[in-house]
Amino acid sequence: MGYEIKNIIEPFLKDGQTLMDVTHDVRGNYVRIIVDSENVLTLDDTAKLTRSIKDASETLPEFPDGVRIEVSTPGLD
């Protein structure tokens, strides 16, 4: 699953953004994505990325009931 979700995420990253980590819990229908950037990542940036990934990930067989996605940066908790 990790490889599959990384392939979905990476095309949505803007120049200067780097995918740092992806963790998931199939039973909890949950994916947490950590993205770092050379520039400041705003809340709007992470919200847009979350929506884009959620729309693209709807076909993942591991999450037939949908998935909750959290996008964060290393400096945010």
Side-chain angles (χ1 to χ4, degrees):
M1 195 315 256
Y3 178 75
E4 209 171 318
I5 193 76
K6 286 181 182 180
N7 287 339
I8 290 172
I9 296 165
E10 288 177 341
F12 294 109
L13 298 177
K14 295 179 182 176
D15 287 342
Q17 294 179 347
T18 305
L19 179 61
M20 302 297 292
D21 191 33
V22 177
T23 55
H24 67 284
D25 177 2
V26 175
R27 285 177 280 145
N29 294 334
Y30 177 76
V31 176
R32 183 167 193 223
I33 301 161
I34 306 296
V35 176
D36 201 0
S37 179
E38 296 172 359
N39 303 312
V40 174
L41 274 172
T42 66
L43 186 57
D44 189 51
D45 291 334
T46 59
K48 285 179 184 176
L49 184 57
T50 301
R51 283 191 299 273
S52 297
I53 295 166
K54 186 161 178 73
D55 290 345
S57 68
E58 288 179 353
T59 59
L60 286 176
E62 290 86 356
F63 301 104
D65 297 324
V67 61
R68 189 176 80 234
I69 297 174
E70 174 188 325
V71 176
S72 188
T73 64
L76 294 178
D77 289 324

